[in-house]
Amino acid sequence: MTSQAHAVWNSRMLIDGRWLAVSETLENRNPANLSQLIGQTARGTAQDAAHAVEAARRAFPGWRRISRIKRGELFDRLAALIQRDLEKLAVVLARESGKILDEARAEVVEGLHMVQYVCGTARQPIGECVASEVAGKDLYVRRKPRGVVAVVTPWNFPFAVPLWMLGPSLLEGNTTVFKPSEETPEIGTKLVELFVEAGFPAGTINLVHGLGEEVGDALARHDDVDVVCFTGSYDVGSHIRKLAAASDHKTCACEMGSKSAVIVCEDARLDLAVNAALLSAFKTTGQRCVSAGRVLVHRSLLGKFEEQLCERAAQLKFADPFTPGAFAGPLINAASVDKVLRYNALAKEEHATVLLDAGRLTSEGRGQGNFVGPFVYRQEYGPGVRTIREEVFGPHLAVIPFDDDEQAIHIYNDTRYGLSMAVVTENYRRWRLFRDECDYGMGYVNLPCIGAEVHLPFGGVKRSGNGQPSAAALVDSVTHKTSFTVNHELGITMAQGMTAGAQAEAEKSSKPAKS
Ligand code: NAD
């Protein structure tokens, strides 16, 4: 199969249960072959975003009153529809994002897992019952939906990441406005079509396409949005955090960039370490939030590790997503190509030892696409070296030598990000040290630093997140905890030993004194 075989597709927006055609559109081109127009995306406006928020607000009271289990059953239907369309969805996702078909399929499966998880949790407790100081009182802690949730998502996981957010938000009784990345509108629309087919009522899920600075910004600013669930770059996440901070009620859950790493200790199994580094750095062409831009290698293993890593990296097939045996596809757009090549050049300016530089890939029909191959370099750790600290988001990997575990921990932590960390070692004391001392949200032992599962929290620290993880943990961001106290005694007994005779005392003091 090739990505050439599809007709141009026109995206629509969904507001209050109605599909809207929009006259102004944005072009969507195949990243593996820019001469191919694959879609015309509706260019929504700030006004469309406002209409969608109003629709979500109107739908909220009715939706939250429906039994949680009934809401969960809609997710059961959604899961069946995703299973029915799995292959078609994977094709759309691969064509639009440039992910190879096998990986696109895995992403649809990941989205399906989230839907299955959400459905399963519908019958789980929504709070706790806790003891009171007063024997006759029962105390409850209950989660309540926050209201309207805006879901603003990136292009690199355009099916799974929206479901990480839409799933828990809707199950808990919130209503939503979803703004997919302008790079991947078609898969976002297909997802919303399935929600509608599954029977989610009008207004509970609304879809607005368009540019981030127009539609995304309007959603983040809108006063009637209660929560912004954002995944994307640090710069945009930081902007959204400031908008939320300036409002009286809005909260935000932000998942942002990283400079994740694999740490190869002196006792590591070399074959496993090389494989972990290759998968971490070059899967999805290095365009995962958790992609390793760094592999820290104990100096005693350096020569052999570099030799095996580069030999294998040079053989990886970066090709059209539908090419059999492809390992990874193109970069998403021309700006990404420029950025990656700029950082490759910067590594040279910063006196790195270049070990492999595949550069722009143009052979075998790749000249029309955004293809860039692996760039691997050795960089000694030092203050102010930018390439080992900044997110590149492409197939750009620094090999950083270290001499002992304490130094590896120091190097690992010396970035402004903290998302994912993998340590390769056979020593249980050693991985425990890295587990406790490194800054990350997702940690791995003897694995790549990619490959999370949906029933875990997904989030980072420092510039990678704001302490509001996504996936299974998103429930904390889209609900607020309320306490509820019920008295089963005939009279009133106050906590903390306070007297409870207020009424009797008041009555006594209001009676005229007897002479
Ligand atoms: P991006 O920040 O450019 O865009 C993300 C979304 O924000 C898009 O929908 C975009 O339209 C919107 N947006 C852009 N400007 C906006 C504005 N001013 N106001 C509101 N919304 C705006 O990110 P991207 O290029 O789509 O994705 C790549 C980035 O996402 C990388 O930095 C990657 O590390 C990060 N990412 C993080 C995670 C995570 O869980 N930590 C997961 C995937 C991707």
Side-chain angles (χ1 to χ4, degrees):
M1 186 189 298
T2 71
S3 45
Q4 264 74 11
H6 292 274
V8 174
W9 180 85
N10 293 305
S11 68
R12 295 172 302 163
M13 307 200 289
L14 181 77
I15 299 179
D16 210 5
R18 281 190 298 277
W19 288 102
L20 308 173
V22 168
S23 52
E24 210 175 332
T25 57
L26 300 163
E27 275 193 353
N28 191 12
R29 292 193 169 268
N30 178 356
N33 180 356
L34 296 171
S35 68
Q36 192 190 3
L37 182 67
I38 55 176
Q40 298 277 6
T41 309
R43 182 173 176 173
T45 61
Q47 205 180 18
D48 295 320
H51 288 153
V53 173
E54 287 157 20
R57 176 58 62 194
R58 280 194 301 276
F60 177 55
W63 179 240
R64 77 170 169 196
R65 272 186 217 124
I66 292 175
S67 151
R68 191 167 194 272
I69 291 172
K70 294 288 172 212
R71 291 198 297 261
E73 282 168 2
L74 292 178
F75 282 96
D76 191 33
R77 272 190 238 158
L78 180 62
L81 298 175
I82 294 174
Q83 278 164 320
R84 181 194 71 189
D85 290 355
L86 204 149
E87 206 51 37
K88 280 190 216 156
L89 292 165
V91 168
V92 171
L93 202 162
R95 188 173 67 231
E96 198 172 49
S97 70
K99 272 188 191 185
I100 60 163
L101 186 59
D102 161 72
E103 236 185 299
R105 207 177 277 126
E107 182 179 340
V108 177
V109 169
E110 186 179 344
L112 170 65
H113 288 167
M114 190 68 209
V115 172
Q116 289 168 333
Y117 172 82
V118 165
C119 175
T121 55
R123 287 179 187 265
Q124 295 293 314
I126 55 164
E128 305 161 62
C129 188
V130 292
S132 168
E133 291 167 29
V134 180
K137 285 184 190 169
D138 283 346
L139 312 185
Y140 303 93
V141 179
R142 298 184 76 250
R143 286 199 311 269
K144 293 186 80 179
R146 295 183 62 90
V148 174
V149 179
V151 169
V152 180
T153 54
W155 69 267
N156 69 333
F157 277 85
F159 191 80
V161 165
L163 281 169
W164 290 359
M165 300 169 170
L166 293 168
S169 298
L170 286 161
L171 177 75
E172 297 300 331
N174 300 281
T175 52
T176 58
V177 181
F178 170 33
K179 188 245 169 274
S181 165
E182 48 272 52
E183 300 285 0
T184 49
E186 186 176 352
I187 187 68
T189 308
K190 294 276 176 227
L191 175 60
V192 173
E193 284 172 1
L194 295 184
F195 270 96
V196 173
E197 192 180 342
F200 282 80
T204 57
I205 177 162
N206 300 275
L207 169 71
V208 188
H209 289 297
L211 297 175
E213 54 274 32
E214 294 174 1
V215 172
D217 184 81
L219 287 174
R221 284 177 194 277
H222 199 292
D223 203 40
D224 226 5
V225 166
D226 298 292
V227 187
V228 184
C229 290
F230 168 79
T231 298
S233 59
Y234 167 75
D235 287 345
V236 177
S238 165
H239 170 66
I240 287 172
R241 290 181 69 175
K242 285 175 194 143
L243 292 177
S247 89
D248 289 331
H249 65 100
K250 200 174 300 187
T251 55
C252 62
C254 293
E255 298 299 339
M256 299 170 282
S258 94
K259 193 69 176 178
S260 296
V262 176
I263 303 172
V264 180
C265 298
E266 59 182 308
D267 62 340
R269 289 176 55 112
L270 203 61
D271 53 346
L272 192 150
V274 169
N275 211 12
L278 286 169
L279 289 165
S280 304
F282 302 126
K283 260 289 159 207
T284 331
T285 325
Q287 299 169 107
R288 288 181 176 231
C289 53
V290 287
S291 289
R294 306 175 292 162
V295 54
L296 280 52
V297 182
H298 192 272
R299 210 176 286 278
S300 64
L301 298 179
L302 199 58
K304 276 192 185 152
F305 179 87
E306 288 177 347
E307 193 184 318
Q308 290 186 24
L309 178 82
C310 291
E311 195 184 310
R312 295 208 24 218
Q315 288 164 7
L316 299 175
K317 195 162 162 181
F318 288 71
D320 182 284
F322 298 94
T323 309
F327 177 85
L331 293 170
I332 187 65
N333 54 31
S336 297
V337 172
D338 286 349
K339 182 176 178 193
V340 171
L341 296 178
R342 246 188 359 260
Y343 271 95
N344 292 356
L346 179 63
K348 294 173 191 166
E349 284 161 33
E350 291 183 332
H351 310 295
T353 304
V354 177
L355 305 170
L356 175 66
D357 184 0
R360 280 296 307 244
L361 305 174
T362 52
S363 63
E364 297 163 20
R366 291 174 295 182
Q368 293 268 38
N370 300 319
F371 288 95
V372 176
F375 182 80
V376 183
Y377 58 103
R378 186 190 319 134
Q379 179 59 272
E380 289 293 335
Y381 172 72
V385 181
R386 286 179 50 201
T387 53
I388 62 172
R389 292 183 170 83
E390 297 174 13
E391 182 181 50
V392 179
F393 215 55
H396 171 107
L397 179 66
V399 178
I400 310 173
F402 67 86
D403 295 302
D404 58 47
D405 294 344
E406 290 298 335
Q407 191 196 16
I409 291 163
H410 176 76
I411 296 172
Y412 171 84
N413 284 336
D414 190 9
T415 79
R416 300 178 85 172
Y417 294 102
L419 193 60
S420 187
M421 180 277 299
V423 55
V424 186
T425 175
E426 296 294 302
N427 182 321
Y428 69 92
R429 289 199 177 89
R430 184 165 267 148
W431 66 248
R432 190 169 188 267
L433 182 72
F434 286 96
R435 182 194 70 187
D436 293 348
E437 300 296 321
C438 291
D439 304 329
Y440 60 86
M442 283 79 67
Y444 299 88
V445 179
N446 291 333
L447 282 167
C449 62
I450 64 172
E453 298 181 36
V454 300
H455 50 289
L456 294 170
F458 192 101
V461 295
K462 295 151 83 174
R463 284 191 170 189
S464 294
N466 67 336
Q468 302 289 314
S470 196
L474 191 87
V475 62
D476 291 333
S477 303
V478 294
T479 55
H480 62 101
K481 280 187 171 173
T482 58
S483 74
F484 198 76
T485 304
V486 182
N487 180 24
H488 296 275
E489 293 177 349
L490 295 178
I492 295 175
T493 309
M494 300 300 289
Q496 296 101 28
M498 203 164 93
T499 55
Q503 201 178 339
E505 277 159 29
E507 279 169 11
K508 205 164 74 186
S509 62
S510 65
K511 282 183 190 157
K514 285 185 184 158
S515 55

